[in-house]
Amino acid sequence: VRSLGTTLSKDPNNLSSKNSFKATSVVNKRIVGIKAAEKGVIMTTKSKGKLIETRMSRGSRRTMKAIKAATVGSFYRPDLSDAAMRRASVLLRGQKSKGAAKR
């Protein structure tokens, strides 16, 4: 998919959606993917060629801490930590219910 001169990717585990070697999940041994769940987010990682999905649904602060620990804390993919936390933040903010309107 091309958008204003930039080639984008439809890969579900590509956090930046850019078609680049660094971001693609097909060729890298270690990947990080964030997608929405019914409540919370699901973080996808790769171990021994298999995709492992971890559901995180116990609050936004705890989710951010868990994502940071899984990427930077364990030296898994520290370069994707910021993008993963941004994606999770947007998804969690979208799931947040709006309060009742004040009169």
Side-chain angles (χ1 to χ4, degrees), residues 33-38 40-44 52-56:
I34 303 288
K35 64 181 178 180
E38 187 175 322
V41 296
I42 298 174
M43 183 174 77
T44 307
I52 299 171
E53 292 187 345
T54 307
R55 171 171 275 152
M56 299 178 189

Side-chain angles (χ1 to χ4, degrees), residues 1 3 5-6 11 17 19 21 31 58 61 81 83 86 88 99-101:
V1 178
S3 171
T6 304
D11 186 11
S17 297
N19 187 16
F21 182 80
I31 64 162
R58 298 190 64 193
R61 289 185 187 204
S81 174
R86 284 176 188 255

Side-chain angles (χ1 to χ4, degrees), residues 3-100:
S3 171
L4 298 174
T6 304
T7 305
L8 301 177
S9 172
K10 291 183 179 180
D11 186 11
N13 295 318
N14 187 341
L15 292 172
S16 64
S17 297
K18 293 180 185 174
N19 187 16
S20 67
F21 182 80
K22 175 184 171 184
T24 187
S25 66
V26 177
V27 295
N28 286 318
K29 289 183 180 179
R30 297 178 175 181
I31 64 162
V32 177
I34 303 288
K35 64 181 178 180
E38 187 175 322
K39 180 182 176 191
V41 296
I42 298 174
M43 183 174 77
T44 307
T45 55
K46 190 189 263 188
S47 177
K48 298 180 182 175
K50 297 178 183 174
L51 295 178
I52 299 171
E53 292 187 345
T54 307
R55 171 171 275 152
M56 299 178 189
S57 60
R58 298 190 64 193
S60 60
R61 289 185 187 204
R62 186 175 267 188
T63 299
M64 292 299 155
K65 188 175 181 181
I67 291 171
K68 193 166 190 175
T71 55
V72 176
S74 62
F75 304 105
Y76 186 72
R77 282 293 298 266
D79 58 323
L80 295 180
S81 174
D82 188 43
M85 289 176 37
R86 284 176 188 255
R87 170 83 52 97
S89 173
V90 167
L91 291 173
L92 290 170
R93 199 177 315 132
Q95 292 174 353
K96 198 173 189 181
S97 64
K98 304 211 180 209

